Amino acid sequence: MSQASAATLGYLRRRRRVHRSPQQRSDRFTGLYTVGLYTAIGVWVSFQTLRQSPARGGSATWLAGGGLARAGTVALLLGLLAALRYATWQGPVVFSAPEVHFLLGAPLPRAELVRVRLGRGLLVGAGVGAAFGLCAFVLLEAELGVAAWPMLAAAVLGPAALGLLAAALGWFVESSPTTARVLLRASPLVLVVAAAGWLGGALAAKVDPWSGPWGWAVGPLVAAAGGHDPGWPVQAALLVVLTLATVFAAWLGAASVSLEELERRAGTRVGLGASIFMADPRGAALLRRQAVGGLLGVRRLRLRHPRHRWLAIPWRDALSLLRTPGRVGWALVLCGTSVLTVAVAPDRKLLAAGAVVVAYLGAAQLLEPLRGEADQPDASRQLPWRWGDLMLLHTATPILTLTVIGLAVTVAAARLSLLPASTLGVALAACLPVAAALVWSAAIAGQRGRLGLDQFMAASAMGELGGPLHLVRWFATGPLVALVALLVPVLVLQGAAGHPAPRIHAATTNAASLLVTALAVQGAWLRSRHPPD
């Protein structure tokens, strides 16, 4: 860098410091102090609570016997995938629109301007990894009760190094549209590898720590937790070498990004900030999907036109799912995780509730056409259906898709010996009504449209306590409806587990009756709705 460029950048830094008001510096310090304070308090309280009533025994044996290696490897692999996918539309280096137009367009060394943001992104990546490692340390130390300092070092340093590596790799993804496109297309393969690493049993527990940097970060943690991993020093060394080499390469390639890529991310950042300010997660999701769709393009798929007019809406929804297969993939991942979780631990009530919520999120992935209809309700007036009937037609394709997913996952659970053969028929028969309950719960929430200004005005009129509760109720309506519809029948079935056959049959009948009643109420409620204002 020439002396003139260095002097110009120094002058720019000084002017920024001068124009940063004391109130801005005070607000930044207060925010960091608040986050740090509450994080420390939460970690300490969680640790003490878990340490006073540790759930040792079977769980500790499972963790030390290979469960930690599999769970940790899969969790870090999915975290790395999420960080790299984030880099396809934002990434570790993001400038504002004025900076792209005026600062980066000036005759200044772009590499030096980028390195300031890149260094900040690397620190954020390492910090996020260390924070997740600290949470894992709290849970594992309370569960296992092993030596604290080795466990803390392994739990924090490994994920922190992986977070630093993820930020450096994210820069390569951000600076190359071709790399971003390859990553997006290879994401389903990574999910398959993660599933194999989780379901591989004892063989996976030995292979996972050597599978890549996500496994190398887990190896020292397994050894500190009392597990068998004699190669953890080599794994730690490999992780350090790879991280340092990747960070060095990213630092040298700071000028490789094009101005168009930074401008595209700056525009997305503006919309993302507005969506967060307005508490509009759907708007943020649409921005992300639009940015990713610009990389992958639009799939020009066709379906044969239906012969009956009432099939027009399901036909259009099916065509939408074919053109966005990622929604079906996420529904498969989320619903499959829920089914396998319940099959592994059928007597855990808390896990059953969490599985219902996760399955609801999977069903909600399939209802984008319905939410698009609610965003522009005036367009529905050109159709020959009432609003409630239109909503029910929009749920036909998602229900059939989710039913097929449920049948496939149930058969897979039976093949893995996670589901008794005696209950396979009941589980297969329950796929259709359970899918309908999940989809209609998501439709009840989705047909309202976006969170508008009138809702914020109503929340502000309710005061400091009622206002936040009103907004929380808005977002929690769908999961709560799904819990009411499905958790009660599940609890009835759990209460009859281990009892004689007549009681099991009676519990099955009662659960089916409750589910049918919930479906009738949901269907009638949906059919009675009117277009949102």
Side-chain angles (χ1 to χ4, degrees):
M1 183 171 55
S2 63
Q3 293 183 354
S5 298
T8 303
L9 292 176
Y11 174 77
L12 178 63
R13 286 191 291 268
R14 290 192 300 271
R15 297 306 301 172
R16 280 178 171 175
R17 285 195 296 267
V18 169
H19 285 280
R20 189 177 297 129
S21 64
Q23 183 62 38
Q24 290 178 327
R25 291 192 291 267
S26 176
D27 292 343
R28 182 176 299 179
F29 173 78
T30 302
L32 293 175
Y33 172 77
T34 303
V35 171
L37 177 63
Y38 280 100
T39 300
I41 293 175
V43 168
W44 177 255
V45 172
S46 301
F47 178 78
Q48 292 298 327
T49 303
L50 294 172
R51 196 63 182 271
Q52 289 174 5
S53 57
R56 295 178 182 154
S59 300
T61 303
W62 179 81
L63 288 171
L68 178 59
R70 291 188 292 138
T73 300
V74 171
L76 292 183
L77 175 59
L78 295 178
L80 178 61
L81 176 63
L84 295 183
R85 285 182 65 92
Y86 172 75
T88 59
W89 64 289
Q90 283 293 275
V93 176
V94 181
F95 290 90
S96 64
E99 290 172 336
V100 173
H101 295 156
F102 297 103
L103 184 60
L104 295 179
L108 294 173
R110 184 179 301 175
E112 298 301 324
L113 296 173
V114 169
R115 280 170 183 164
V116 176
R117 304 296 175 92
L118 180 59
R120 192 180 306 169
L122 294 174
L123 291 178
V124 170
V128 171
F132 279 108
L134 184 61
C135 295
F137 163 74
V138 172
L139 296 175
L140 292 174
E141 180 62 24
E143 180 73 20
L144 301 174
V146 296
W149 287 112
M151 172 72 76
L152 178 62
V156 172
L157 295 180
L162 186 66
L164 186 62
L165 175 64
L169 292 175
W171 168 246
F172 292 119
V173 174
E174 180 178 353
S175 58
S176 172
T178 303
T179 305
R181 195 175 298 113
V182 171
L183 172 68
L184 291 172
R185 297 191 185 280
S187 296
L189 180 61
V190 177
L191 294 178
V192 172
V193 172
W198 173 254
L199 300 174
L203 178 61
K206 297 180 180 179
V207 175
D208 284 354
W210 295 98
S211 58
W214 47 87
W216 302 341
V218 177
L221 183 60
V222 173
H228 180 71
D229 189 7
W232 71 266
V234 179
Q235 295 162 4
L238 289 174
L239 178 61
V240 171
V241 171
L242 179 61
T243 301
L244 293 178
T246 306
V247 170
F248 183 70
W251 196 261
L252 291 181
S256 60
V257 66
S258 64
L259 195 62
E260 290 76 14
E261 280 297 310
L262 294 177
E263 185 176 9
R264 182 170 69 90
R265 282 166 167 77
T268 305
R269 181 187 181 186
V270 173
L272 183 63
S275 298
I276 294 176
F277 179 77
M278 294 300 296
D280 184 16
R282 172 166 161 73
L286 290 176
L287 284 171
R288 181 198 63 81
R289 196 172 303 116
Q290 181 181 3
V292 172
L295 292 172
L296 295 178
V298 180
R299 294 175 174 84
R300 297 297 182 182
L301 300 177
R302 297 182 181 273
L303 283 178
R304 185 177 180 180
H305 291 275
R307 296 183 178 180
H308 303 283
R309 70 175 189 175
W310 64 272
L311 291 175
I313 299 300
W315 168 80
R316 192 181 71 176
D317 295 348
L319 189 61
S320 175
L321 288 180
L322 286 176
R323 290 179 176 178
T324 55
R327 293 189 171 278
V328 181
W330 279 112
L332 175 61
V333 170
L334 295 172
C335 296
T337 302
S338 301
V339 172
L340 294 178
T341 300
V342 174
V344 170
D347 57 338
R348 298 289 185 87
K349 296 179 176 59
L350 186 59
L351 283 180
V356 170
V357 174
V358 172
Y360 164 83
L361 296 177
Q365 294 290 323
L366 306 175
L367 281 171
E368 180 61 26
L370 182 145
R371 288 190 288 269
E373 199 84 63
D375 286 346
Q376 297 179 343
D378 292 339
S380 65
R381 296 175 181 175
Q382 304 176 10
L383 301 175
W385 296 290
R386 297 171 53 251
W387 179 259
D389 297 333
L390 184 62
M391 293 297 100
L392 290 176
L393 288 174
H394 270 299
T395 61
T397 299
I399 288 175
L400 292 178
T401 304
L402 201 63
T403 300
V404 173
I405 291 175
L407 293 173
V409 175
T410 301
V411 172
R415 295 293 300 271
L416 294 173
S417 301
L418 298 176
L419 192 65
S422 59
T423 61
L424 179 60
V426 177
L428 293 176
C431 287
L432 179 59
V434 170
L438 291 170
V439 171
W440 282 352
S441 299
I444 288 173
Q447 59 86 33
R448 302 171 300 179
R450 292 195 189 185
L451 184 66
L453 184 60
D454 54 342
Q455 298 293 331
F456 281 101
M457 296 296 293
S460 62
M462 293 181 181
E464 296 181 356
L465 180 60
L469 291 178
H470 176 75
L471 297 179
V472 169
R473 181 194 62 81
W474 174 274
F475 291 111
T477 296
L480 289 178
V481 172
L483 286 172
V484 172
L486 292 177
L487 188 59
V488 176
V490 169
L491 293 179
V492 171
L493 293 176
Q494 287 181 341
H499 289 82
R503 182 169 178 180
I504 295 178
H505 293 159
T508 304
T509 303
N510 294 334
S513 302
L514 291 171
L515 182 56
V516 170
T517 303
L519 288 175
V521 173
Q522 286 180 324
W525 196 90
L526 274 174
R527 197 170 186 276
S528 66
R529 293 298 89 194
H530 300 284
D533 297 332

